[in-house]
Amino acid sequence: MEPSRDAILRALEGVIDPELRRPVTELDMVRDVRVEGARVAVTIALTVAGCPLRASFDEQVQRLVGAVPGVESVELAFDVMTPEERTALSARLRGGIRERSSGISLDASTRVLAVASGKGGVGKSSLTANLAVALAQLGESVGVLDADIYGHSIPHLLGTRQRPVLVDKMIVPPVAHGLHLMSIGFFQDDNAPLMWRGPMLHRALEQFLSDVHWPKLDTLVVDMPPGTGDVSISLAQLLPRAEVLVVTTPQPLAREVASRAATMARKTSMRLLGVIENMAGDVFGSGGGEQLAQDLGVPLLGSVPLDARLRDAGDRGEPLVLGDPGSDAARAITAIAEGVAAVPREQGVGILKPLPLVS
């Protein structure tokens, strides 16, 4: 018996665009369906030619359409959307977002966690990547914004060099380990240095929050640059309801410098959520995170032991919480994610406002 066309279309409702995370039927990407006896031919219109994720479409169509009663073979072909179709798609995607402030495309319900440190070398980016994955494992929809413009490392830590896709004038972020990612590293050739002044840094961050199509996320985790410079000030202005996690290593000097990042967060009206102590153990000692938390009057969210496996996993581009979830460091990061998720979120929509003078 010839398979039902309606049944094939219902099966295609389960085919999800790996970047936009929406069914291809909902995105009007199904260009044609032909049924010839037990053979089915499907044509999908991609947003751009040479889409690097064609294999995902092929696997899904073969599996879902191939399971329809009466189907013996499935042929998948690709076409490319016209400029008019891309414009319509862009409008459809933006239509589901409630802007949190003027020009910012991030949904008003999305929690923003800024992972900050006073100095570099404390493992902030590794914690950001693993914390984001741990939150996703708790069932949250998570994005990661690499705001460390000069020292971007999120693409490497999460094992992807896939470039974002441009749909009309909207940037679609790549997806890795279930996370929606954006980093200036996706636009750089190899390891080329970035030599920008302050206004360009602000504009880049603003574009990442306005021109990028962030889906409706539960949480956006932001990897902040170390210190209290331009990007930190810009984020406070663009996302005044961001919540800050301060990362420090145990020794007194690192604790002293980290306290400056915490003070800046408070002066720019961001909520200080707590302290994370990283690299605890014999080399750097322990207890510094607890002392910093007491000084700031916030909780110590967790202490992550110094573990070479965390560094090895980052070098491989595989988060430790996925590759070795039973390790002490991975368990500590997962516990931190659970603690953060349990803290009530800031309520209300952020309003773009001038920053107080920071002296």
Side-chain angles (χ1 to χ4, degrees):
M1 184 177 69
E2 186 174 277
S4 163
R5 181 184 177 84
D6 288 341
I8 293 169
L9 291 173
R10 285 195 298 271
L12 288 171
E13 291 175 359
V15 177
I16 307 299
D17 184 292
E19 292 174 314
L20 299 174
R21 298 288 171 167
R22 303 264 287 273
V24 292
T25 50
E26 182 182 325
L27 298 173
D28 288 340
M29 297 176 70
V30 179
R31 179 66 49 85
D32 186 36
V33 174
R34 289 183 290 110
V35 180
E36 298 175 355
R39 298 173 56 190
V40 176
V42 177
T43 301
I44 289 180
L46 302 174
T47 53
V48 293
C51 174
L53 300 177
R54 288 183 175 213
S56 175
F57 288 108
D58 188 56
E59 185 277 328
Q60 294 183 74
V61 170
Q62 294 289 343
R63 173 168 49 84
L64 296 172
V65 176
V68 173
V71 174
E72 294 182 1
S73 67
V74 181
E75 178 184 338
L76 176 62
F78 293 102
D79 201 349
V80 180
M81 287 185 174
T82 65
E84 294 76 18
E85 287 173 326
R86 285 195 294 271
T87 299
L89 175 61
S90 176
R92 187 180 300 112
L93 292 172
R94 291 192 185 280
I97 297 296
R98 295 184 297 122
E99 291 187 351
R100 62 193 300 130
S101 58
S102 178
I104 303 302
S105 65
L106 199 64
D107 193 87
S109 65
T110 299
R111 184 181 205 174
V112 179
L113 298 176
V115 184
S117 68
K119 61 190 290 291
V122 299
K124 168 183 56 62
S125 296
S126 295
L127 283 178
T128 297
N130 280 274
L131 182 62
V133 173
L135 288 169
Q137 289 179 321
L138 295 175
E140 293 195 10
S141 174
V142 182
V144 181
L145 172 57
D146 189 354
D148 193 351
I149 304 294
Y150 292 133
H152 52 82
S153 56
I154 290 298
H156 183 101
L157 290 167
L158 291 172
T160 180
R161 296 296 299 175
Q162 181 188 333
R163 290 182 179 269
V165 171
L166 187 65
V167 178
D168 194 32
K169 296 180 180 180
M170 183 179 66
I171 303 170
V172 179
V175 177
H177 305 293
L179 308 174
H180 299 264
L181 312 176
M182 185 49 58
S183 170
I184 196 67
F186 293 131
F187 303 94
Q188 295 292 100
D189 293 326
D190 299 322
N191 198 31
L194 199 67
M195 295 178 286
W196 285 357
R197 292 187 181 273
M200 295 181 70
L201 297 175
H202 178 89
R203 176 56 190 143
L205 185 59
E206 188 176 37
Q207 188 172 15
F208 286 165
L209 293 170
S210 58
D211 294 347
V212 171
H213 169 63
W214 296 104
K216 192 170 182 180
L217 302 172
D218 294 309
T219 303
L220 178 69
V221 186
V222 184
D223 184 24
M224 299 290 288
T228 56
D230 292 322
V231 173
S232 300
I233 297 172
S234 293
L235 185 83
Q237 183 179 15
L238 295 166
L239 297 172
R241 288 190 178 274
E243 299 170 275
V244 179
L245 309 175
V246 177
V247 179
T248 184
T249 45
Q251 68 269 36
L253 179 59
R255 186 175 74 239
E256 177 184 333
V257 177
S259 68
R260 299 172 196 162
T263 300
M264 178 185 174
R266 282 175 165 161
K267 285 190 174 184
T268 54
S269 302
M270 291 193 288
R271 180 189 185 191
L272 188 56
L273 204 59
V275 172
I276 300 174
E277 181 182 70
N278 195 27
M279 304 184 192
D282 294 337
V283 176
F284 295 108
S286 60
E290 179 66 40
Q291 183 61 55
L292 177 61
Q294 290 179 9
D295 293 344
L296 297 173
V298 297
L300 175 67
L301 297 170
S303 181
V304 181
L306 182 65
D307 191 339
R309 287 173 291 184
L310 183 59
R311 188 259 305 162
D312 290 339
D315 288 342
R316 295 194 308 271
E318 180 185 29
L320 186 68
V321 294
L322 286 177
D324 191 359
S327 64
D328 290 342
R331 290 205 306 269
I333 294 170
T334 299
I336 292 169
E338 292 170 347
V340 168
V343 175
R345 302 184 179 206
E346 286 281 288
Q347 299 298 317
V349 178
I351 300 173
L352 193 64
K353 61 180 181 179
L355 283 173
L357 209 55
V358 179
S359 60

